[in-house]
PDB file of all heavy atoms in Angstrom:
ATOM      1  N   LYS A  12     -36.252 -53.265  34.008  1.00 85.00           N
ATOM      2  CA  LYS A  12     -35.686 -52.128  34.735  1.00 85.00           C
ATOM      3  C   LYS A  12     -35.232 -51.060  33.763  1.00 85.00           C
ATOM      4  O   LYS A  12     -34.550 -51.343  32.792  1.00 85.00           O
ATOM      5  CB  LYS A  12     -34.516 -52.609  35.583  1.00 85.00           C
ATOM      6  CG  LYS A  12     -33.919 -51.523  36.467  1.00 85.00           C
ATOM      7  CD  LYS A  12     -32.806 -52.083  37.315  1.00 85.00           C
ATOM      8  CE  LYS A  12     -32.209 -51.014  38.232  1.00 85.00           C
ATOM      9  NZ  LYS A  12     -31.658 -49.880  37.500  1.00 85.00           N
ATOM     10  N   LYS A  13     -35.605 -49.823  34.082  1.00 92.00           N
ATOM     11  CA  LYS A  13     -35.161 -48.723  33.242  1.00 92.00           C
ATOM     12  C   LYS A  13     -33.888 -48.110  33.810  1.00 92.00           C
ATOM     13  O   LYS A  13     -33.609 -48.211  34.997  1.00 92.00           O
ATOM     14  CB  LYS A  13     -36.259 -47.641  33.176  1.00 92.00           C
ATOM     15  CG  LYS A  13     -37.513 -48.117  32.470  1.00 92.00           C
ATOM     16  CD  LYS A  13     -38.486 -46.974  32.305  1.00 92.00           C
ATOM     17  CE  LYS A  13     -39.740 -47.450  31.544  1.00 92.00           C
ATOM     18  NZ  LYS A  13     -40.679 -46.360  31.299  1.00 92.00           N
ATOM     19  N   ILE A  14     -33.151 -47.498  32.933  1.00 95.00           N
ATOM     20  CA  ILE A  14     -31.938 -46.775  33.372  1.00 95.00           C
ATOM     21  C   ILE A  14     -32.392 -45.473  33.998  1.00 95.00           C
ATOM     22  O   ILE A  14     -33.155 -44.709  33.390  1.00 95.00           O
ATOM     23  CB  ILE A  14     -31.012 -46.526  32.162  1.00 95.00           C
ATOM     24  CG1 ILE A  14     -30.499 -47.825  31.568  1.00 95.00           C
ATOM     25  CG2 ILE A  14     -29.842 -45.618  32.563  1.00 95.00           C
ATOM     26  CD1 ILE A  14     -29.757 -47.680  30.267  1.00 95.00           C
ATOM     27  N   THR A  15     -31.942 -45.232  35.236  1.00 96.00           N
ATOM     28  CA  THR A  15     -32.356 -44.009  35.929  1.00 96.00           C
ATOM     29  C   THR A  15     -31.358 -42.894  35.618  1.00 96.00           C
ATOM     30  O   THR A  15     -30.136 -43.081  35.720  1.00 96.00           O
ATOM     31  CB  THR A  15     -32.429 -44.216  37.447  1.00 96.00           C
ATOM     32  OG1 THR A  15     -31.191 -44.786  37.896  1.00 96.00           O
ATOM     33  CG2 THR A  15     -33.568 -45.146  37.803  1.00 96.00           C
ATOM     34  N   VAL A  16     -31.884 -41.766  35.266  1.00 97.00           N
ATOM     35  CA  VAL A  16     -31.055 -40.584  34.957  1.00 97.00           C
ATOM     36  C   VAL A  16     -31.386 -39.512  35.975  1.00 97.00           C
ATOM     37  O   VAL A  16     -32.515 -38.993  36.014  1.00 97.00           O
ATOM     38  CB  VAL A  16     -31.332 -40.076  33.522  1.00 97.00           C
ATOM     39  CG1 VAL A  16     -30.488 -38.828  33.239  1.00 97.00           C
ATOM     40  CG2 VAL A  16     -31.049 -41.148  32.494  1.00 97.00           C
ATOM     41  N   GLY A  17     -30.423 -39.216  36.829  1.00 96.00           N
ATOM     42  CA  GLY A  17     -30.616 -38.185  37.846  1.00 96.00           C
ATOM     43  C   GLY A  17     -30.287 -36.811  37.289  1.00 96.00           C
ATOM     44  O   GLY A  17     -29.253 -36.622  36.640  1.00 96.00           O
ATOM     45  N   VAL A  18     -31.177 -35.837  37.529  1.00 95.00           N
ATOM     46  CA  VAL A  18     -30.944 -34.458  37.102  1.00 95.00           C
ATOM     47  C   VAL A  18     -30.681 -33.646  38.350  1.00 95.00           C
ATOM     48  O   VAL A  18     -31.609 -33.227  39.047  1.00 95.00           O
ATOM     49  CB  VAL A  18     -32.147 -33.908  36.304  1.00 95.00           C
ATOM     50  CG1 VAL A  18     -31.854 -32.483  35.835  1.00 95.00           C
ATOM     51  CG2 VAL A  18     -32.460 -34.802  35.127  1.00 95.00           C
ATOM     52  N   CYS A  19     -29.401 -33.459  38.654  1.00 95.00           N
ATOM     53  CA  CYS A  19     -28.985 -32.811  39.896  1.00 95.00           C
ATOM     54  C   CYS A  19     -28.508 -31.397  39.562  1.00 95.00           C
ATOM     55  O   CYS A  19     -27.294 -31.111  39.572  1.00 95.00           O
ATOM     56  CB  CYS A  19     -27.889 -33.638  40.549  1.00 95.00           C
ATOM     57  SG  CYS A  19     -27.252 -32.925  42.081  1.00 95.00           S
ATOM     58  N   VAL A  20     -29.436 -30.526  39.201  1.00 94.00           N
ATOM     59  CA  VAL A  20     -29.085 -29.143  38.867  1.00 94.00           C
ATOM     60  C   VAL A  20     -30.103 -28.218  39.508  1.00 94.00           C
ATOM     61  O   VAL A  20     -31.172 -28.655  39.940  1.00 94.00           O
ATOM     62  CB  VAL A  20     -29.098 -28.920  37.328  1.00 94.00           C
ATOM     63  CG1 VAL A  20     -28.101 -29.833  36.635  1.00 94.00           C
ATOM     64  CG2 VAL A  20     -30.485 -29.109  36.742  1.00 94.00           C
ATOM     65  N   MET A  21     -29.738 -26.934  39.615  1.00 90.00           N
ATOM     66  CA  MET A  21     -30.673 -25.980  40.222  1.00 90.00           C
ATOM     67  C   MET A  21     -31.920 -25.869  39.344  1.00 90.00           C
ATOM     68  O   MET A  21     -31.859 -25.914  38.130  1.00 90.00           O
ATOM     69  CB  MET A  21     -30.008 -24.601  40.347  1.00 90.00           C
ATOM     70  CG  MET A  21     -28.690 -24.617  41.134  1.00 90.00           C
ATOM     71  SD  MET A  21     -28.903 -25.170  42.854  1.00 90.00           S
ATOM     72  CE  MET A  21     -29.579 -23.703  43.609  1.00 90.00           C
ATOM     73  N   GLU A  22     -33.085 -25.715  39.998  1.00 86.00           N
ATOM     74  CA  GLU A  22     -34.365 -25.739  39.298  1.00 86.00           C
ATOM     75  C   GLU A  22     -34.469 -24.671  38.209  1.00 86.00           C
ATOM     76  O   GLU A  22     -35.107 -24.880  37.178  1.00 86.00           O
ATOM     77  CB  GLU A  22     -35.520 -25.589  40.295  1.00 86.00           C
ATOM     78  CG  GLU A  22     -35.737 -26.834  41.137  1.00 86.00           C
ATOM     79  CD  GLU A  22     -36.818 -26.633  42.195  1.00 86.00           C
ATOM     80  OE1 GLU A  22     -37.432 -25.544  42.220  1.00 86.00           O
ATOM     81  OE2 GLU A  22     -37.039 -27.539  42.993  1.00 86.00           O
ATOM     82  N   LYS A  23     -33.810 -23.531  38.428  1.00 81.00           N
ATOM     83  CA  LYS A  23     -33.912 -22.445  37.436  1.00 81.00           C
ATOM     84  C   LYS A  23     -33.335 -22.867  36.096  1.00 81.00           C
ATOM     85  O   LYS A  23     -33.638 -22.265  35.055  1.00 81.00           O
ATOM     86  CB  LYS A  23     -33.192 -21.194  37.946  1.00 81.00           C
ATOM     87  CG  LYS A  23     -31.693 -21.378  38.132  1.00 81.00           C
ATOM     88  CD  LYS A  23     -31.043 -20.171  38.775  1.00 81.00           C
ATOM     89  CE  LYS A  23     -29.561 -20.425  39.045  1.00 81.00           C
ATOM     90  NZ  LYS A  23     -28.939 -19.328  39.774  1.00 81.00           N
ATOM     91  N   LYS A  24     -32.492 -23.911  36.096  1.00 72.00           N
ATOM     92  CA  LYS A  24     -31.875 -24.357  34.845  1.00 72.00           C
ATOM     93  C   LYS A  24     -32.782 -25.238  34.000  1.00 72.00           C
ATOM     94  O   LYS A  24     -32.461 -25.555  32.854  1.00 72.00           O
ATOM     95  CB  LYS A  24     -30.555 -25.111  35.136  1.00 72.00           C
ATOM     96  CG  LYS A  24     -29.440 -24.201  35.673  1.00 72.00           C
ATOM     97  CD  LYS A  24     -29.030 -23.196  34.615  1.00 72.00           C
ATOM     98  CE  LYS A  24     -28.023 -22.199  35.150  1.00 72.00           C
ATOM     99  NZ  LYS A  24     -27.644 -21.216  34.114  1.00 72.00           N
ATOM    100  N   VAL A  25     -33.894 -25.690  34.586  1.00 70.00           N
ATOM    101  CA  VAL A  25     -34.849 -26.479  33.800  1.00 70.00           C
ATOM    102  C   VAL A  25     -36.228 -25.856  33.772  1.00 70.00           C
ATOM    103  O   VAL A  25     -37.180 -26.451  33.299  1.00 70.00           O
ATOM    104  CB  VAL A  25     -34.951 -27.947  34.317  1.00 70.00           C
ATOM    105  CG1 VAL A  25     -33.706 -28.718  34.008  1.00 70.00           C
ATOM    106  CG2 VAL A  25     -35.236 -27.950  35.810  1.00 70.00           C
TER     107      VAL A  25
END
Side-chain angles (χ1 to χ4, degrees):
K12 184 178 181 300
K13 294 186 178 183
I14 296 171
T15 52
V16 178
V18 182
C19 179
V20 301
M21 303 299 283
E22 287 176 4
K23 63 186 176 185
K24 291 295 174 181
V25 289

